[in-house]
């Protein structure tokens, strides 16, 4: 009998403790308003907001390199000089549902100053490139896209030479702001693939491409520079084009970007206008980088004055190796 009373008392105590523990547990009230979950727990209010989709990706890069040589009473000879090269690259990419809109702006400028020569400051790099592409998805990697490609420079460009019998340099203007400027509009199929490691490949083939060459400088226009009719300021062409943009991580700290634009006029199929920009970036740390930039241009309508004073179409090549500050943002 005593044993049964003991077990009954033990059960009553356990049941009482369980009821008290349940009284100590505060049940939370939950409310959902416009997709936001509001949880009220005692005197606390917790708001859980759903993760918002990100439609825009924006960023860019700024680079700057400076070289200075100062000589005073230097018996080995030479000249003091200052060289600067800088550039900024900006991008804004939009993707929502089956629509994409990618835009990119590149501005580069560089000069060299040597105090002991006529025209001491001379431009070494100057370009302005804006590319914007809008597309509608056909399949996960194929789009129907329209792209605008605009290219020009910011300052006047000169050819420096020394006339026969003269001891001083002379110069003649060969380019200017919007002289030339190239605007190309193309519509076609776009293959676009972004890999998991961040590598990007985009290729657009367009059988419907319009290309406009603009020369807004009166003296260059009258001379028929850059293939326009003398006295005119705009030359319009219809043709086909192939445009590609590649962004690949070669090694852990080495990245390669290549932009290629090929255009052929329907009137002269096979005569291709080439614009190629290649940039290899090698990061030393977060702020120090080495950049190897190569620009290649070929346009048979642009007549180049060669070193032997003959004129004709030629492959234009610009190579730059910069070591300096490089900041991604």
């Amino acid at each position: 009998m005593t044993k049964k009373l003991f077990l009954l008392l033990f059960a009553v105590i356990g049941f009482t403790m369980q009821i008290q523990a349940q009284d100590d547990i505060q049940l939370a009230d939950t409310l959902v308003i416009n997709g936001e979950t509001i949880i009220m727990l005692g005197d606390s209010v917790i708001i859980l907001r759903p993760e918002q989709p990100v439609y825009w990706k924006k960023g860019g890069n700024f680079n700057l390199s400076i070289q200075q040589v100062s000589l005073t009473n230097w018996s080995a000879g030479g000249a003091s000089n200052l060289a600067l090269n800088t550039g900024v690259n900006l991008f804004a990419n939009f993707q929502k549902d089956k629509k994409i809109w990618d835009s990119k702006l590149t501005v580069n400028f560089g000069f060299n100053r040597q105090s002991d020569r006529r025209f001491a400051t001379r431009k070494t790099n100057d370009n302005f490139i804006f590319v914007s592409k809008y597309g509608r998805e056909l399949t996960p990697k194929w789009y129907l896209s329209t792209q605008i490609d605009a290219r020009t420079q910011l300052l006047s460009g000169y050819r420096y030479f020394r006339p026969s019998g003269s001891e001083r340099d002379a110069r003649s203007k060969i380019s200017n702001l919007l002289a030339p400027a190239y605007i190309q509009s193309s519509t076609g199929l776009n293959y676009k693939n972004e890999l998991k490691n961040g590598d990007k490949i985009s290729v657009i083939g367009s059988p419907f491409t319009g290309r406009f060459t603009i020369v807004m400088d009166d003296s260059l226009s009258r001379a028929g520079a850059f293939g326009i009719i003398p006295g005119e300021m705009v030359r319009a062409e219809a043709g086909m084009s192939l445009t590609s943009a590649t962004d690949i991580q070669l090694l852990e700290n080495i990245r390669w970007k290549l932009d290629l634009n090929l255009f052929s006029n329907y009137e002269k199929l096979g005569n291709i206008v080439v614009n190629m920009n290649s940039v290899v970036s090698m990061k030393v740390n977060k702020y120090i980088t080495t950049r190897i930039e190569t620009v290649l241009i070929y346009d048979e309508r642009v007549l180049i004055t060669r070193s032997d004073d003959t004129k004709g179409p030629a492959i234009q090549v610009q190579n730059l190796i910069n070591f300096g500050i490089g900041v991604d943002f």
Side-chain angles (χ1 to χ4, degrees):
M1 185 67 178
T2 304
K3 184 177 181 180
K4 290 182 179 181
L5 289 174
F6 179 81
L7 292 175
L8 180 62
L9 180 61
F10 181 82
V12 171
I13 294 174
F15 180 74
T16 303
M17 294 178 63
Q18 183 177 2
I19 292 176
Q20 183 177 359
Q22 289 179 350
D23 292 339
D24 293 338
I25 297 176
Q26 297 180 349
L27 298 178
D29 295 326
T30 302
L31 183 64
V32 179
I33 301 177
N34 292 333
E36 294 185 350
T37 302
I38 302 176
I39 301 175
M40 302 182 64
L41 184 61
D43 295 332
S44 301
V45 178
I46 303 173
I47 301 177
L48 300 180
R49 291 186 170 89
E51 184 177 350
Q52 297 296 322
V54 178
Y55 299 124
W56 283 99
K57 291 183 180 180
K58 305 174 184 178
N61 170 271
F62 170 78
N63 62 86
L64 172 67
S65 63
I66 300 175
Q67 179 188 14
Q68 181 183 16
V69 177
S70 179
L71 302 177
T72 304
N73 301 323
W74 191 251
S75 62
S80 299
N81 68 80
L82 171 67
L84 177 145
N85 194 74
T86 185
V88 61
N89 301 277
L90 305 173
F91 71 87
N93 300 333
F94 173 85
Q95 184 168 4
K96 182 180 180 182
D97 300 329
K98 294 188 176 184
K99 296 176 290 185
I100 62 168
W101 182 18
D102 298 341
S103 298
K104 179 170 60 176
L105 173 66
T106 300
V107 181
N108 292 317
F109 179 75
F111 71 87
N112 176 277
R113 179 175 178 81
Q114 190 169 314
S115 57
D116 64 344
R117 66 186 177 187
R118 192 184 183 196
F119 311 117
T121 302
R122 303 187 183 187
K123 182 174 65 172
T124 57
N125 191 17
D126 182 8
N127 59 62
F128 177 100
I129 303 173
F130 175 73
V131 180
S132 185
K133 176 182 65 179
Y134 175 82
R136 299 279 298 188
E137 182 181 304
L138 301 177
T139 70
K141 294 182 181 179
W142 289 92
Y143 296 80
L144 180 62
S145 298
T146 296
Q147 177 171 285
I148 297 292
D149 186 312
R151 300 167 184 257
T152 187
Q153 60 190 53
L154 302 178
L155 301 177
S156 299
Y158 298 90
R159 184 177 74 90
Y160 298 92
F161 59 96
R162 180 164 295 184
S164 178
S166 175
E167 295 183 355
R168 304 186 66 190
D169 288 343
R171 70 180 186 179
S172 60
K173 184 165 64 173
I174 59 175
S175 62
N176 204 345
L177 173 65
L178 299 179
Y182 299 100
I183 299 177
Q184 181 174 302
S185 174
S186 55
T187 299
L189 286 177
N190 176 201
Y191 172 79
K192 188 173 184 288
N193 191 11
E194 184 170 349
L195 305 180
K196 293 182 179 180
N197 61 357
D199 292 352
K200 301 176 184 178
I201 299 174
S202 177
V203 180
I204 300 178
S206 171
F208 311 106
T209 301
R211 189 171 191 263
F212 302 88
T213 302
I214 301 171
V215 179
M216 300 298 293
D217 185 281
D218 290 338
S219 62
L220 296 174
S221 173
R222 288 193 297 268
F226 307 103
I228 68 169
I229 298 174
E232 299 289 338
M233 290 188 173
V234 179
R235 173 187 171 90
E237 301 174 85
M240 60 179 63
S241 65
L242 179 69
T243 303
S244 69
T246 305
D247 187 350
I248 297 176
Q249 191 79 34
L250 298 178
L251 295 173
E252 182 179 356
N253 294 324
I254 301 178
R255 195 160 196 91
W256 178 44
K257 296 182 180 181
L258 175 67
D259 293 320
L260 177 65
N261 186 296
L262 306 176
F263 172 81
S264 181
N265 191 322
Y266 279 133
E267 295 179 0
K268 292 185 177 180
L269 284 176
N271 293 329
I272 299 176
V273 178
V274 180
N275 282 277
M276 187 199 78
N277 294 69
S278 172
V279 178
V280 178
S281 302
M282 296 174 283
K283 275 191 169 295
V284 178
N285 56 36
K286 186 177 180 180
Y287 300 108
I288 305 299
T289 185
T290 298
R291 293 166 58 91
I292 303 175
E293 302 181 35
T294 302
V295 179
L296 186 149
I297 300 173
Y298 178 78
D299 188 343
E300 68 168 5
R301 298 189 315 276
V302 178
L303 304 182
I304 306 297
T305 301
R306 306 183 182 95
S307 57
D308 58 359
D309 290 332
T310 61
K311 278 190 174 183
I315 297 176
Q316 306 171 55
V317 179
Q318 179 188 63
N319 284 311
L320 299 171
I321 300 178
N322 301 318
F323 178 80
I325 298 172
V327 180
D328 294 324
F329 52 87

